[in-house]
Amino acid sequence: MTSQLREASAALSPKIKAVAPKAIFDRNAILNSVLTLWWAQTEGSKIALLPYKALGYLKNGEELFSDYRSIPIDSSDRFTKVVDMWADRLELKGCYNWRYRKA
Amino acid sequence: MELVENTGSVPPVEPLQFTIRLEDFDVSLLPIDKSLLAGDRDLLRESIATFFSEYFAKVGGVANILPSADVVSIAWSPSSLQDKDALIEYTVSLLNSGAYGQVEPILKALAERYPDDFAVHYNMGMMQSNQGHLDEAISTLQKAVELSPNKADAWVALGVAQDRKGNKAEAKEAFAAALKAEPHNPHALMSMGGALLPTDPQQALVLIKAATSLQPESQLFAYNYAQCCIALKMASEADAALGRVMELAPFSNLAAKAEDQRRHLANLVMQSRAASGLRPEVVTFCMEAIHAYTRMDDKNRKAVIYEVSLLGKGGFDINASEKKYSLKSMPGKFSSVQLLAYLFVGIKGMNPALDPGIDFQQEYEEAKRRVQDQKNQQH
């Protein structure tokens, strides 16, 4: 998990920021901050959050994390609901649609 | 500069204090990309300060973490003796996970603050030994054994450090002291056995065998026992021990080494048997293989070679003569030497320049000659 968090934080580097479109860079950073928030809560450590806080992505990440926790864990459509809520906040609603497979 | 303070009562004793330069902190174990930290000094400083704040929060007491431009200063006071023990225990757990760069300053500060604490000196000494700082390790571990002369593991650690430094006599003295403190300590037995192997292999065998029987699930112990048997030319015991090494952790580096050694050992055994001349059974099996392959098509031949190779990956017991192996690609039951002959003949048949890694060349040449003679007689 630590190496995964390290990899995620590498996406915040100034070199990547200089070449990536802002819309993609920001959204990617926010989504990575959600994973990091989950780890921070599980481990009780705030170290991994520091770069997201420094660059101003933590507040948005906390909103998405709050969405994630607001759906009951045993809800059968939890996955799609969380994705829809996040897409709404990140202004990605028109970028996908759901295709359901038969069980 | 931000002062970070953990909750806790005001301690009555002088605090444990140390300072760490930002550059000296090992960031490799932090969950933040290294280059991100290297490029942002404020982030680096805050990460180190947060690390130590969280570190000391786990053990109790009162910690003052003071980050400044180039260093982070830490002052920690235990509220009770339990806090001090908790700090040492937590530090040792990080040490065991390899976080040397992070715990080294804490251990050094602990050693200064608590000069008579055995656990601190013992663990710091082992860390120094593993880092290759052998003079420091020897000095630290000598202090540890002075503090607790009945702790066999500390004597073993001292012996290992001495051995790594090349001080063989001092190493043996330390191992002997370990055995005096705890005659059945497996590490003491194994270490002394290893030290005696070059000069007194028989005694080494006794000690190493005793150690291995106390830790039958230790792959390293099984491997060391195998080396001792090899040194004493006990081929059968060595082969069994190497098999055990492969069984305990089949995909480890040690298992791969054991597999190579086993193959090499098998060849040595074959060579020693051949020393007085050709091995008749090998000639017979090679002839049998030549005839069998002549009756097969190319696809079937390759299937046999492939299947025998796979079987051989686990090692053949070349000392056993009973026919206990079956193949899907060929009917019948085969002994291990028989299968090796099939493998040798098959590979040579595909390409004479290939080396099957089995010493059957002389018997193979004799078998070919006899088969040719048989053909000539028929004509």
Side-chain angles (χ1 to χ4, degrees), chain B residues 283 286-287 290-291 294 363-379:
Chain B
V283 174
C286 284
M287 286 177 69
I290 292 169
H291 285 306
T294 308
E363 284 81 3
Y364 175 59
E365 295 299 331
E366 176 64 16
K368 280 196 301 183
R369 193 188 63 74
R370 291 191 194 182
V371 165
Q372 188 57 50
D373 281 349
Q374 283 172 352
K375 279 186 188 164
N376 292 345
Q377 280 169 15
Q378 277 164 10
H379 294 118

Side-chain angles (χ1 to χ4, degrees), chain B residues 235-245 262:
Chain B
S236 182
E237 290 83 351
D239 184 69
L242 290 169
R244 180 82 181 128
V245 172
R262 232 182 161 189

Side-chain angles (χ1 to χ4, degrees), chain B residues 217 219 240-251 255:
Chain B
E217 303 303 311
Q219 193 192 35
L242 290 169
R244 180 82 181 128
V245 172
M246 290 164 67
E247 194 183 287
L248 284 166
F251 303 108

Side-chain angles (χ1 to χ4, degrees), chain B residues 269-284:
Chain B
V269 169
M270 290 292 192
Q271 280 167 18
S272 70
R273 286 181 187 167
S276 55
L278 297 175
R279 292 157 289 188
E281 77 277 15
V282 177
V283 174
T284 304

Side-chain angles (χ1 to χ4, degrees), chain B residues 47-215:
Chain B
S47 299
I48 296 171
T50 306
F51 171 83
F52 282 112
S53 177
E54 291 178 359
Y55 189 101
F56 285 101
K58 289 184 165 71
V59 300
V62 177
N64 291 320
I65 318 287
L66 188 62
S68 57
D70 299 315
V71 301
V72 174
S73 301
I74 294 100
W76 174 80
S77 300
S79 305
S80 66
L81 276 176
Q82 281 80 20
D83 289 345
K84 176 208 139 200
D85 291 338
L87 176 61
I88 293 170
E89 201 178 303
Y90 183 56
T91 303
V92 168
S93 74
L94 284 191
L95 199 61
N96 291 337
S97 68
Y100 290 0
Q102 293 175 353
V103 303
E104 191 174 352
I106 300 173
L107 266 182
K108 283 187 170 166
L110 279 167
E112 267 184 46
R113 181 67 187 83
Y114 302 103
D116 296 330
D117 191 292
F118 165 77
V120 170
H121 286 86
Y122 171 56
N123 286 289
M124 191 162 79
M126 285 207 293
M127 179 190 73
Q128 289 165 334
S129 183
N130 288 339
Q131 288 173 315
H133 305 152
L134 297 173
D135 290 331
E136 288 175 309
I138 289 168
S139 171
T140 305
L141 288 164
Q142 278 171 338
K143 174 79 178 176
V145 299
E146 274 168 31
L147 289 167
S148 287
N150 59 339
K151 290 275 185 14
D153 286 341
W155 283 109
V156 171
L158 175 58
V160 168
Q162 294 279 24
D163 189 71
R164 284 171 175 171
K165 181 79 181 164
N167 302 336
K168 302 296 181 187
E170 290 86 344
K172 278 187 203 167
E173 278 174 24
F175 296 143
L179 283 170
K180 192 175 170 194
E182 280 178 50
H184 301 292
N185 182 298
H187 295 283
L189 288 163
M190 181 57 75
S191 299
M192 184 58 123
L196 286 176
L197 190 55
T199 53
D200 189 352
Q202 289 294 345
Q203 180 57 15
L205 180 68
V206 171
L207 296 170
I208 292 173
K209 198 170 180 181
T212 309
S213 67
L214 287 167
Q215 297 216 332

Side-chain angles (χ1 to χ4, degrees), chain B residues 213-335:
Chain B
S213 67
L214 287 167
Q215 297 216 332
E217 303 303 311
S218 166
Q219 193 192 35
L220 182 62
F221 275 32
Y223 184 78
N224 289 346
Y225 176 59
Q227 304 317 300
C228 187
C229 292
I230 288 170
L232 286 164
K233 299 192 189 334
M234 295 163 55
S236 182
E237 290 83 351
D239 184 69
L242 290 169
R244 180 82 181 128
V245 172
M246 290 164 67
E247 194 183 287
L248 284 166
F251 303 108
S252 62
N253 289 339
L254 219 46
K257 276 170 113 171
E259 190 182 1
D260 284 342
Q261 278 197 321
R262 232 182 161 189
R263 201 175 296 127
H264 180 66
L265 198 62
N267 274 336
L268 286 177
V269 169
M270 290 292 192
Q271 280 167 18
S272 70
R273 286 181 187 167
S276 55
L278 297 175
R279 292 157 289 188
E281 77 277 15
V282 177
V283 174
T284 304
F285 291 145
C286 284
M287 286 177 69
E288 183 188 301
I290 292 169
H291 285 306
Y293 282 132
T294 308
R295 292 190 294 270
M296 290 180 200
D297 62 24
D298 194 46
K299 188 177 167 189
N300 200 355
R301 253 195 307 278
K302 284 180 180 168
V304 169
I305 295 166
Y306 182 67
E307 195 178 355
V308 175
S309 301
L310 279 182
L311 258 182
K313 267 215 157 299
F316 284 123
D317 181 2
I318 47 111
N319 295 308
S321 58
E322 76 265 32
K323 293 176 186 252
K324 62 178 185 178
Y325 295 100
S326 303
L327 299 177
K328 287 177 188 160
S329 49
M330 200 164 57
K333 286 276 216 185
F334 306 92
S335 69

